Amino acid sequence: MNLFSLRNGFWMALALTVLVGSVFDFIALRQSDITESTGQMVVLSYQVINEASHIDQDFERLQRSLKSPPVESAPLIESLKKRLAKLQTLTAENPAQQAEVARLNTLLPLNEDNEVQALSPEQQSLILHSLNKIDETEENLLKDRLESDRVQNNNARIQVLIASIVDILLLAIIGIVWVLYARHRRRTEKTLTEAIQSISKANFELEQASLSKTHLLKATAHDLRNPLGSIQGLADLISEETSHPTVTELTGIIRQVSAQTLGLVNQLMDPKALTTGKPSQQVADFDMVKCIEDVCLAQQPLALRKNQRIVFTPEAKSLIMAGDSSKIWDLFVNLIGNAVKFSPIGSEITLRAFKENQFVVVEVEDQGPGISPEDRAKAFQKYQRLTAQPTAGEASSGLGLFLVKEIVDAHDGIIEIQDARNGSGARFIVKLPASLPRRISLDPGPSIGI
């Protein structure tokens, strides 16, 4: 059971206690104004007054019995004696009434022979006075008791009413405290939920940044393979060539490839890339024909190792478009490197570039085994190795085409895979907008490599 449940139990128990107390208070408030003791006194007073009335009637009947025709008076005398004895018992706690009852006993109309005799007017007056005195005393006692009981009841009613009001106020306070507590708890829960969501979001962003950094490092390490391989190939060619023009040409290529490799290292050291795993973007106009010619020149040493030819036939001397030229360089290094890697020895790799509506279109076609429909469906997935294998035992990580697709998407372009026009092989068709794209957001950073 959590703390909130314990608090719930406490408040509910307190509210239930106050509610039960209020119910009992209202029951007490509605109970009879006459208490049990007062009720008993009312009954006693009624008996006293009733007996006094019967005694008065018996005295009158006794006096009438002495007139003609005479009647038997003994039963009346016995009735009077019994009623006086009962009245004496009923008034035992009141000395004044006891004295009047004793006086009535002395006024019984009996002579020395225990015979009934007529009452004098003075005796009749005394009898009437005593009976009235008994009634008056009883009435006064009853009035005093009823008044006292009424005062007590009024006081009790006031106390009960005050208790009921206090109970209602307590219930109201409990309700207000509960509402305020519930609101505070909801606000606290909302704050905690927002904090948890914020922490979760921060953790997710940190995780994504970490993944991006990891991907950046993997991609860069992978991408350095091509230019370093080109440098090694150029070095081998230089060692074999002695003519000055060839050495000069190869030295120029080495400079170009070295500059591109240095660019990769600089991108890796970019503060933005180190923080978020996403390098800065450089968008500007550049010549697509010149870019591809440089890529072909850089990839030529790798192709020469396998006795392959790279043929580039643009439709115009220049095709100007807007974008990140370093990423476009990476894009075609990747595609040409793939063509070199998966094409047989002595084959030809053909590139075409032309303008089509608002797009600059570049085709890269090889004479390799091609890409099956099943492989095409997953060709651009991350770390996805395809069925075809490199023809000279080259390494393949399955990352290259994924990076190619990212660069194309970042430039709002389109990439397609088709069969080669002549014979076996694969043909990659890249369509990039000639004008400035709406966005360029390359997540993984440098993307040269296969």
Side-chain angles (χ1 to χ4, degrees):
M1 181 179 293
N2 57 31
L3 183 60
F4 180 65
S5 299
L6 291 175
R7 289 178 178 173
N8 273 349
F10 169 75
W11 287 112
M12 292 186 68
L14 181 60
L16 184 61
T17 301
V18 174
L19 184 61
V20 171
S22 301
V23 172
F24 280 111
D25 289 341
F26 280 111
I27 292 174
L29 187 64
R30 295 175 61 87
Q31 71 181 0
S32 174
D33 290 339
I34 301 177
T35 61
E36 183 179 355
S37 60
T38 303
Q40 293 174 353
M41 186 175 181
V42 170
V43 173
L44 180 61
S45 297
Y46 172 76
Q47 291 175 344
V48 170
I49 294 172
N50 187 50
E51 289 300 325
S53 177
H54 284 304
I55 290 172
D56 184 35
Q57 293 173 4
D58 286 346
F59 270 112
E60 288 181 1
R61 283 196 297 270
L62 188 59
Q63 289 300 308
R64 286 196 301 270
S65 69
L66 298 175
K67 299 178 182 180
S68 58
V71 298
E72 183 64 38
S73 59
L76 293 175
I77 292 297
E78 289 298 324
S79 176
L80 272 171
K81 288 180 179 181
K82 290 180 180 180
R83 291 189 182 281
L84 286 171
K86 184 176 181 181
L87 185 60
Q88 189 172 12
T89 302
L90 293 173
T91 59
E93 295 182 1
N94 195 308
Q97 289 178 324
Q98 287 282 301
E100 298 299 331
V101 173
R103 180 182 293 175
L104 288 173
N105 279 317
T106 63
L107 292 175
L108 285 174
L110 299 173
N111 57 20
E112 294 177 355
D113 296 329
N114 207 27
E115 294 177 349
V116 178
Q117 61 183 11
L119 293 170
S120 64
E122 183 180 356
Q123 289 175 322
Q124 292 179 3
S125 178
L126 288 174
I127 290 171
L128 183 60
H129 175 75
S130 293
L131 291 172
N132 288 337
K133 188 69 174 177
I134 290 171
D135 288 346
E136 182 180 350
T137 301
E138 193 63 36
E139 289 176 359
N140 290 335
L141 286 173
L142 184 59
K143 287 180 180 178
D144 291 343
R145 184 58 182 267
L146 288 175
E147 180 63 22
S148 175
D149 196 63
R150 185 186 66 79
V151 172
Q152 291 179 2
N153 276 319
N154 284 339
N155 291 336
R157 288 167 66 87
I158 291 173
Q159 292 175 359
V160 171
L161 183 60
I162 292 173
S164 299
I165 293 173
V166 171
D167 290 341
I168 293 172
L169 290 176
L170 282 174
L171 283 173
I173 292 172
I174 291 172
I176 292 172
V177 171
W178 173 253
V179 170
L180 293 176
Y181 172 73
R183 290 181 178 177
H184 174 71
R185 183 174 180 273
R186 284 197 296 270
R187 287 196 297 268
T188 302
E189 287 181 345
K190 182 179 179 182
T191 302
L192 288 175
T193 301
E194 291 175 351
I196 292 172
Q197 291 176 348
S198 178
I199 292 172
S200 299
K201 182 180 179 181
N203 287 337
F204 177 77
E205 290 175 352
L206 287 173
E207 183 179 355
Q208 293 301 311
S210 178
L211 291 174
S212 295
K213 290 178 182 179
T214 301
H215 183 69
L216 174 65
L217 292 173
K218 287 183 178 180
T220 304
H222 179 273
D223 294 346
L224 288 172
R225 187 183 304 160
N226 268 333
L228 291 175
S230 296
I231 293 174
Q232 183 180 4
L234 290 169
D236 293 339
L237 291 175
I238 290 175
S239 64
E240 296 172 359
E241 294 291 337
T242 58
S243 62
H244 180 72
T246 302
V247 171
T248 303
E249 181 183 359
L250 295 178
T251 304
I253 299 173
I254 289 176
R255 290 195 185 97
Q256 185 178 23
V257 174
S258 299
Q260 188 65 22
T261 305
L262 181 61
L264 285 173
V265 176
N266 290 335
Q267 285 185 353
L268 186 61
M269 299 302 295
D270 181 12
K272 181 180 178 182
L274 292 174
T275 303
T276 64
K278 301 176 182 179
S280 302
Q281 307 301 320
Q282 301 294 330
V283 180
D285 289 340
F286 70 96
D287 184 359
M288 176 66 83
V289 173
K290 180 66 168 58
C291 178
I292 296 177
E293 286 177 346
D294 291 341
V295 174
C296 292
L297 189 61
Q299 292 296 301
Q300 190 66 39
L302 296 178
L304 290 176
R305 283 184 178 182
K306 300 175 71 174
N307 196 26
Q308 296 171 342
R309 294 178 60 240
I310 300 176
V311 180
F312 175 42
T313 55
E315 73 169 5
K317 292 184 178 181
S318 66
L319 293 171
I320 305 299
M321 65 166 290
D324 188 335
S325 59
S326 65
K327 293 301 175 185
I328 300 301
W329 169 283
D330 298 340
L331 164 64
F332 289 107
V333 163
N334 202 328
L335 289 180
I336 297 173
N338 260 359
V340 170
K341 182 183 297 185
F342 292 97
S343 294
I345 296 174
S347 62
E348 184 176 277
I349 297 159
T350 304
L351 284 85
R352 302 179 185 87
F354 54 91
K355 188 78 174 290
E356 183 179 87
N357 297 326
Q358 301 300 319
F359 290 88
V360 173
V361 182
V362 179
E363 296 181 356
V364 180
E365 185 174 326
D366 60 50
Q367 296 176 347
I371 300 178
S372 66
E374 293 77 10
D375 281 346
R376 292 180 191 180
K378 59 183 180 180
F380 298 110
Q381 296 178 13
K382 198 172 185 179
Y383 301 117
Q384 185 63 57
R385 287 184 172 86
L386 305 182
T387 304
Q389 296 297 319
T391 55
E394 297 97 331
S396 177
S397 65
L399 187 62
L401 291 181
F402 170 78
L403 300 176
V404 165
K405 184 68 165 58
E406 279 197 334
I407 297 172
V408 172
D409 290 343
H411 286 77
D412 290 338
I414 301 170
I415 184 168
E416 300 175 356
I417 303 176
Q418 296 181 5
D419 293 330
R421 286 190 174 89
N422 299 320
S424 63
R427 180 162 55 105
F428 287 84
I429 304 173
V430 178
K431 298 181 179 180
L432 299 174
S435 59
L436 190 66
R438 294 189 300 273
R439 57 175 175 80
I440 293 184
S441 178
L442 298 175
D443 202 26
S447 54
I448 297 178
I450 303 168

